[in-house]
Amino acid sequence: MAGTTPGTPGTPRVLRAMNDRAALDLLLEHGPLSRTRIGKLTGLSKPTASQLLARLEAAGLVVATGTTAGRPGPNAQLYAMNARAAYAAGLDVTPNRIHAAVADITGEIVGEYELRTPGRAASGVVRQVTDALDGAAEAAGITRGNVRRLVIGTPGAFDPATGRLRYASHLPGWHSPTLLDELAAVLPMPFEYENDVNLAAVAEQRVGAARGHADFALLWNEEGLGGALVLGGRLHRGFTGGAGEVGFLPVPGTPLVRQVTKANSGGFQELAGVQAVPRIAAAIGIDTPEQPYVRIASGLLAHAAEAHGEDPRYAELLDRYAERLATGLASIVAVLDPELIVLSGAVLVAGGEPLRARVQAELADLSASRPRLVLTAVPRRPVLRGALESALATTRDEVFDTSR
């Protein structure tokens, strides 16, 4: 046809690439499959499925692995993703440590490393990032150069206009306007940066409680109170990347916090942040220290989840804290009307189902719409899992594109 060029939609090359990607996605989802099974799932004929598998095997994307057994007739060859076709990495950055992990193309974590950073000099951030990445790569049996893409999760968000990290004054060394350029100069792979709570939402969307939901919100509570918003299946970051910084939300029940970025706090943080839990407990007669906040608050709520039926003080702790959480959530729901809200972070996870049920009941009284509240399905290192899922999504788009 006149004017047709290689790669134009509808050409054999593009159709083959579409079939290749469909087969690769099936192998990711189901694990090893036979040629016949791949043909049935994709709708391809046996000869076409055979050609597809031969092509993917030659490209190093699939490998033959074992045979079927226990069925009538001859055993069929099984094919699986070549896990070593590519690697992606993620970093979860907090003021006290950087946790790094490397995953193979199937999503399996093959190397992890934790770099403790308390009291580290602010000028050493680039070295900290490379040390953490190198540690995870070494644990995976590869080098930094084998990692195809990196996603770094931090509190706050990098302002796209200035390149500066905002909303995270407690993260020393990460606020230089040249930091991203310095990292780009030493890292051999493309890298992206993302807010930590946004990455927790990515983890829920890809492998957790929000799978299949195009619109949901996530409420997070550990060192700080934060949120993430997914609208139409995509993260909503806002103009400066600050969408989801719900700790700054003014709410009833606390005095107005002014100059919130300098205070690194706001009304919702003061009302329902991690520091509120031991204070509520002390006010109702539970003898408790306040700090370290995350450990103390998580311990109190975990005990309350177990003992609220026998000790009325712990039932009251759950009741009061749930009311505070629902107060802020009601404002979020009034604007966004989400289908689902996921509760995540160590403090909310510690309260478990007793806390979730109370927040759901309070929110029903405070909000006109009634989204369903669920607990996270990614309780272990959700920020790191989200960073890996984000890096893997882009890596797979690149590696699985056989049209080039």
Side-chain angles (χ1 to χ4, degrees):
M1 187 188 314
T4 299
T5 58
T8 301
T11 65
R13 177 184 297 180
V14 171
L15 293 175
R16 283 196 301 268
M18 292 171 62
N19 289 335
D20 291 349
R21 180 60 192 260
L24 291 167
D25 286 340
L26 287 169
L27 290 171
L28 282 174
E29 181 180 358
H30 297 285
L33 295 171
S34 67
R35 179 201 63 179
T36 300
R37 184 63 176 154
I38 289 174
K40 288 181 178 179
L41 290 172
T42 58
L44 299 174
S45 67
K46 288 183 179 181
T48 302
S50 295
Q51 293 170 5
L52 177 152
L53 287 168
R55 188 165 58 246
L56 294 179
E57 194 171 12
L61 294 175
V62 304
V63 291
T65 172
T67 58
T68 58
R71 296 182 179 180
N75 293 342
Q77 178 68 59
L78 293 175
Y79 295 87
M81 282 294 311
N82 178 8
R84 295 182 292 179
Y87 297 91
L91 267 61
D92 174 14
V93 179
T94 73
N96 295 314
R97 56 111 180 105
I98 299 177
H99 198 133
V102 171
D104 64 32
I105 198 68
T106 70
E108 181 180 354
I109 295 176
V110 292
E112 293 187 69
Y113 184 79
E114 182 172 279
L115 177 70
R116 304 298 297 179
T117 59
R120 293 290 186 101
S123 59
V125 165
V126 173
R127 179 64 180 273
Q128 292 172 24
V129 168
T130 56
D131 284 352
L133 178 59
D134 287 344
E138 182 179 358
I142 61 174
T143 67
R144 186 195 308 176
N146 297 123
V147 176
R148 193 173 182 104
R149 185 166 293 269
L150 170 68
V151 171
I152 302 172
T154 70
F158 284 92
D159 190 322
T162 66
R164 288 181 178 271
L165 184 66
R166 304 184 65 191
Y167 319 113
S169 59
H170 59 299
L171 200 63
W174 286 79
H175 301 85
S176 167
T178 64
L179 175 60
L180 298 179
D181 291 334
E182 293 172 29
L183 287 172
V186 299
L187 293 173
M189 79 291 291
F191 74 95
E192 301 171 12
Y193 49 85
E194 185 59 85
N195 171 263
D196 53 357
V197 183
N198 279 349
L199 290 176
V202 170
E204 297 294 342
Q205 184 182 32
R206 302 280 172 81
V207 297
R211 290 188 70 178
H213 294 273
D215 298 278
F216 71 93
L218 180 141
L219 183 69
W220 170 274
N221 198 2
E222 283 195 12
E223 287 86 356
L225 193 64
L229 314 172
V230 174
L231 306 173
R234 301 181 63 182
L235 276 169
H236 176 68
R237 297 177 177 86
F239 179 66
T240 66
E245 294 290 338
V246 298
F248 297 134
L249 185 72
V251 293
T254 59
L256 282 176
V257 178
R258 300 187 183 275
Q259 296 184 318
V260 294
T261 55
K262 290 184 178 180
N264 200 35
S265 187
F268 196 17
Q269 177 67 40
E270 294 300 311
L271 184 70
V274 61
Q275 74 278 11
V277 178
R279 294 172 187 174
I280 296 170
I284 59 179
I286 298 172
D287 186 21
T288 178
E290 282 197 5
Q291 299 189 43
Y293 285 128
V294 174
R295 181 171 66 82
I296 296 300
S298 298
L300 285 167
L301 290 172
H303 186 69
E306 294 180 357
H308 66 278
E310 291 77 35
D311 190 331
R313 296 175 304 165
Y314 285 99
E316 187 173 357
L317 172 63
L318 291 173
D319 289 342
R320 290 195 185 188
Y321 189 53
E323 182 182 52
R324 293 183 179 213
L325 290 169
T327 298
L329 282 174
S331 296
I332 296 169
V333 169
V335 175
L336 296 175
D337 189 21
E339 175 187 5
L340 183 78
I341 298 176
V342 180
L343 302 181
S344 186
V347 176
L348 299 181
V349 169
E353 176 58 23
L355 179 62
R356 186 215 64 81
R358 284 167 166 80
V359 178
Q360 181 82 75
E362 288 286 349
L363 190 58
D365 283 343
L366 298 176
S367 173
S369 62
R370 299 183 178 183
R372 184 165 62 94
L373 267 66
V374 297
L375 291 168
T376 175
V378 191
R380 184 177 182 272
R381 299 195 177 103
V383 175
L384 188 61
R385 184 72 252 178
L388 288 171
E389 290 296 326
S390 183
L392 283 166
T394 305
T395 299
R396 289 167 180 162
D397 285 343
E398 295 171 349
V399 173
F400 292 175
D401 183 1
T402 59
S403 65
R404 292 172 291 184

Short mmCIF file of all heavy atoms in Angstrom, two decimals, residues 9-39:
data_model
loop_
_atom_site.label_atom_id
_atom_site.label_comp_id
_atom_site.label_asym_id
_atom_site.label_seq_id
_atom_site.Cartn_x
_atom_site.Cartn_y
_atom_site.Cartn_z
N PRO A 9 0.53 0.77 12.35
CA PRO A 9 -0.48 -0.15 12.88
C PRO A 9 -1.15 -0.94 11.77
O PRO A 9 -1.52 -0.40 10.73
CB PRO A 9 -1.46 0.80 13.58
CG PRO A 9 -0.62 1.98 13.96
CD PRO A 9 0.38 2.13 12.85
N GLY A 10 -1.28 -2.26 11.98
CA GLY A 10 -1.92 -3.12 11.01
C GLY A 10 -0.94 -3.89 10.15
O GLY A 10 -1.34 -4.82 9.46
N THR A 11 0.36 -3.53 10.17
CA THR A 11 1.35 -4.26 9.40
C THR A 11 1.67 -5.57 10.09
O THR A 11 1.46 -5.72 11.29
CB THR A 11 2.63 -3.45 9.22
OG1 THR A 11 3.24 -3.27 10.51
CG2 THR A 11 2.36 -2.09 8.60
N PRO A 12 2.19 -6.56 9.35
CA PRO A 12 2.54 -7.84 9.98
C PRO A 12 3.48 -7.68 11.16
O PRO A 12 3.34 -8.39 12.16
CB PRO A 12 3.18 -8.61 8.82
CG PRO A 12 2.55 -8.06 7.60
CD PRO A 12 2.36 -6.60 7.88
N ARG A 13 4.44 -6.75 11.07
CA ARG A 13 5.38 -6.58 12.18
C ARG A 13 4.66 -6.16 13.45
O ARG A 13 4.93 -6.70 14.52
CB ARG A 13 6.43 -5.53 11.81
CG ARG A 13 7.40 -5.23 12.95
CD ARG A 13 8.38 -4.14 12.60
NE ARG A 13 9.24 -4.53 11.49
CZ ARG A 13 10.20 -3.75 10.98
NH1 ARG A 13 10.37 -2.53 11.49
NH2 ARG A 13 10.93 -4.17 9.99
N VAL A 14 3.76 -5.21 13.33
CA VAL A 14 3.05 -4.74 14.52
C VAL A 14 2.11 -5.81 15.05
O VAL A 14 1.99 -6.01 16.26
CB VAL A 14 2.28 -3.44 14.20
CG1 VAL A 14 1.36 -3.06 15.35
CG2 VAL A 14 3.27 -2.31 13.92
N LEU A 15 1.44 -6.53 14.17
CA LEU A 15 0.55 -7.61 14.61
C LEU A 15 1.33 -8.70 15.33
O LEU A 15 0.87 -9.23 16.35
CB LEU A 15 -0.21 -8.18 13.42
CG LEU A 15 -1.22 -7.22 12.76
CD1 LEU A 15 -1.82 -7.86 11.51
CD2 LEU A 15 -2.31 -6.82 13.74
N ARG A 16 2.50 -9.03 14.80
CA ARG A 16 3.34 -10.02 15.49
C ARG A 16 3.74 -9.51 16.86
O ARG A 16 3.72 -10.26 17.84
CB ARG A 16 4.58 -10.33 14.65
CG ARG A 16 4.35 -11.25 13.47
CD ARG A 16 5.66 -11.82 12.94
NE ARG A 16 6.56 -10.75 12.51
CZ ARG A 16 6.61 -10.28 11.26
NH1 ARG A 16 5.80 -10.77 10.34
NH2 ARG A 16 7.47 -9.34 10.94
N ALA A 17 4.12 -8.23 16.94
CA ALA A 17 4.53 -7.65 18.22
C ALA A 17 3.37 -7.67 19.23
O ALA A 17 3.57 -7.92 20.42
CB ALA A 17 5.04 -6.22 18.03
N MET A 18 2.16 -7.43 18.74
CA MET A 18 0.99 -7.47 19.64
C MET A 18 0.77 -8.88 20.17
O MET A 18 0.48 -9.08 21.35
CB MET A 18 -0.24 -6.95 18.90
CG MET A 18 -0.19 -5.47 18.57
SD MET A 18 -1.53 -4.93 17.47
CE MET A 18 -2.96 -5.29 18.49
N ASN A 19 0.90 -9.86 19.28
CA ASN A 19 0.75 -11.25 19.72
C ASN A 19 1.86 -11.65 20.69
O ASN A 19 1.62 -12.34 21.68
CB ASN A 19 0.76 -12.19 18.51
CG ASN A 19 -0.49 -12.07 17.67
OD1 ASN A 19 -1.55 -11.68 18.16
ND2 ASN A 19 -0.38 -12.41 16.39
N ASP A 20 3.10 -11.19 20.40
CA ASP A 20 4.21 -11.48 21.30
C ASP A 20 3.94 -10.92 22.69
O ASP A 20 4.14 -11.61 23.71
CB ASP A 20 5.50 -10.86 20.76
CG ASP A 20 6.00 -11.53 19.49
OD1 ASP A 20 5.48 -12.61 19.14
OD2 ASP A 20 6.91 -10.98 18.85
N ARG A 21 3.48 -9.69 22.75
CA ARG A 21 3.23 -9.06 24.06
C ARG A 21 2.12 -9.77 24.80
O ARG A 21 2.19 -9.97 26.01
CB ARG A 21 2.89 -7.57 23.88
CG ARG A 21 2.61 -6.83 25.20
CD ARG A 21 3.84 -6.89 26.10
NE ARG A 21 3.57 -6.47 27.46
CZ ARG A 21 3.86 -5.26 27.94
NH1 ARG A 21 4.42 -4.35 27.15
NH2 ARG A 21 3.60 -4.96 29.18
N ALA A 22 1.07 -10.18 24.07
CA ALA A 22 -0.03 -10.90 24.71
C ALA A 22 0.48 -12.21 25.32
O ALA A 22 0.11 -12.57 26.45
CB ALA A 22 -1.14 -11.18 23.71
N ALA A 23 1.33 -12.92 24.59
CA ALA A 23 1.87 -14.18 25.11
C ALA A 23 2.77 -13.95 26.32
O ALA A 23 2.71 -14.69 27.31
CB ALA A 23 2.64 -14.90 24.01
N LEU A 24 3.60 -12.92 26.26
CA LEU A 24 4.49 -12.62 27.38
C LEU A 24 3.70 -12.24 28.62
O LEU A 24 4.03 -12.66 29.74
CB LEU A 24 5.45 -11.50 26.99
CG LEU A 24 6.50 -11.88 25.93
CD1 LEU A 24 7.19 -10.64 25.39
CD2 LEU A 24 7.52 -12.85 26.52
N ASP A 25 2.64 -11.47 28.45
CA ASP A 25 1.80 -11.10 29.60
C ASP A 25 1.12 -12.34 30.19
O ASP A 25 0.96 -12.44 31.42
CB ASP A 25 0.75 -10.08 29.17
CG ASP A 25 1.33 -8.69 28.95
OD1 ASP A 25 2.44 -8.43 29.47
OD2 ASP A 25 0.70 -7.88 28.26
N LEU A 26 0.72 -13.26 29.35
CA LEU A 26 0.12 -14.51 29.85
C LEU A 26 1.13 -15.33 30.64
O LEU A 26 0.80 -15.91 31.68
CB LEU A 26 -0.43 -15.33 28.68
CG LEU A 26 -1.71 -14.80 28.03
CD1 LEU A 26 -1.98 -15.54 26.73
CD2 LEU A 26 -2.89 -14.93 28.98
N LEU A 27 2.35 -15.39 30.17
CA LEU A 27 3.39 -16.13 30.90
C LEU A 27 3.69 -15.47 32.24
O LEU A 27 3.94 -16.15 33.24
CB LEU A 27 4.66 -16.23 30.05
CG LEU A 27 4.57 -17.14 28.83
CD1 LEU A 27 5.80 -16.98 27.96
CD2 LEU A 27 4.38 -18.59 29.25
N LEU A 28 3.65 -14.15 32.29
CA LEU A 28 3.84 -13.45 33.55
C LEU A 28 2.71 -13.77 34.53
O LEU A 28 2.93 -13.96 35.72
CB LEU A 28 3.89 -11.94 33.33
CG LEU A 28 5.19 -11.35 32.80
CD1 LEU A 28 5.01 -9.87 32.50
CD2 LEU A 28 6.33 -11.54 33.80
N GLU A 29 1.49 -13.81 34.00
CA GLU A 29 0.33 -14.02 34.87
C GLU A 29 0.18 -15.47 35.32
O GLU A 29 -0.13 -15.75 36.48
CB GLU A 29 -0.94 -13.58 34.13
CG GLU A 29 -2.21 -13.73 34.96
CD GLU A 29 -3.45 -13.30 34.21
OE1 GLU A 29 -3.33 -12.85 33.04
OE2 GLU A 29 -4.56 -13.43 34.77
N HIS A 30 0.41 -16.41 34.41
CA HIS A 30 0.10 -17.81 34.68
C HIS A 30 1.32 -18.68 34.98
O HIS A 30 1.17 -19.79 35.49
CB HIS A 30 -0.65 -18.43 33.50
CG HIS A 30 -1.97 -17.79 33.22
ND1 HIS A 30 -3.09 -18.00 34.00
CD2 HIS A 30 -2.37 -16.94 32.23
CE1 HIS A 30 -4.11 -17.31 33.51
NE2 HIS A 30 -3.69 -16.66 32.44
N GLY A 31 2.51 -18.20 34.63
CA GLY A 31 3.68 -19.07 34.76
C GLY A 31 3.83 -19.93 33.52
O GLY A 31 3.26 -19.64 32.45
N PRO A 32 4.60 -21.03 33.60
CA PRO A 32 4.88 -21.86 32.42
C PRO A 32 3.60 -22.34 31.73
O PRO A 32 2.65 -22.78 32.39
CB PRO A 32 5.68 -23.02 32.99
CG PRO A 32 6.32 -22.47 34.23
CD PRO A 32 5.32 -21.52 34.79
N LEU A 33 3.60 -22.26 30.41
CA LEU A 33 2.45 -22.68 29.60
C LEU A 33 2.96 -23.48 28.40
O LEU A 33 4.07 -23.26 27.91
CB LEU A 33 1.66 -21.46 29.09
CG LEU A 33 0.96 -20.59 30.14
CD1 LEU A 33 0.43 -19.33 29.47
CD2 LEU A 33 -0.17 -21.35 30.82
N SER A 34 2.10 -24.38 27.91
CA SER A 34 2.43 -25.13 26.70
C SER A 34 2.06 -24.31 25.47
O SER A 34 1.30 -23.34 25.55
CB SER A 34 1.67 -26.46 26.68
OG SER A 34 0.27 -26.21 26.54
N ARG A 35 2.58 -24.74 24.32
CA ARG A 35 2.23 -24.07 23.07
C ARG A 35 0.72 -24.11 22.84
O ARG A 35 0.10 -23.12 22.44
CB ARG A 35 2.95 -24.76 21.92
CG ARG A 35 2.65 -24.14 20.54
CD ARG A 35 2.95 -25.12 19.44
NE ARG A 35 2.08 -26.30 19.55
CZ ARG A 35 2.11 -27.32 18.69
NH1 ARG A 35 2.98 -27.33 17.70
NH2 ARG A 35 1.30 -28.36 18.84
N THR A 36 0.11 -25.26 23.12
CA THR A 36 -1.33 -25.40 22.91
C THR A 36 -2.11 -24.44 23.80
O THR A 36 -3.07 -23.79 23.36
CB THR A 36 -1.78 -26.85 23.19
OG1 THR A 36 -1.08 -27.73 22.31
CG2 THR A 36 -3.27 -27.00 22.97
N ARG A 37 -1.69 -24.34 25.06
CA ARG A 37 -2.39 -23.46 26.00
C ARG A 37 -2.23 -22.00 25.59
O ARG A 37 -3.19 -21.23 25.67
CB ARG A 37 -1.84 -23.69 27.41
CG ARG A 37 -2.55 -22.89 28.48
CD ARG A 37 -3.99 -23.29 28.61
NE ARG A 37 -4.65 -22.60 29.71
CZ ARG A 37 -5.95 -22.36 29.77
NH1 ARG A 37 -6.75 -22.79 28.80
NH2 ARG A 37 -6.47 -21.73 30.80
N ILE A 38 -1.05 -21.61 25.17
CA ILE A 38 -0.85 -20.24 24.72
C ILE A 38 -1.72 -19.96 23.50
O ILE A 38 -2.33 -18.88 23.40
CB ILE A 38 0.65 -20.00 24.40
CG1 ILE A 38 1.47 -19.96 25.69
CG2 ILE A 38 0.84 -18.69 23.62
CD1 ILE A 38 2.96 -19.86 25.48
N GLY A 39 -1.81 -20.93 22.59
CA GLY A 39 -2.66 -20.76 21.42
C GLY A 39 -4.11 -20.54 21.80
O GLY A 39 -4.79 -19.67 21.25
#
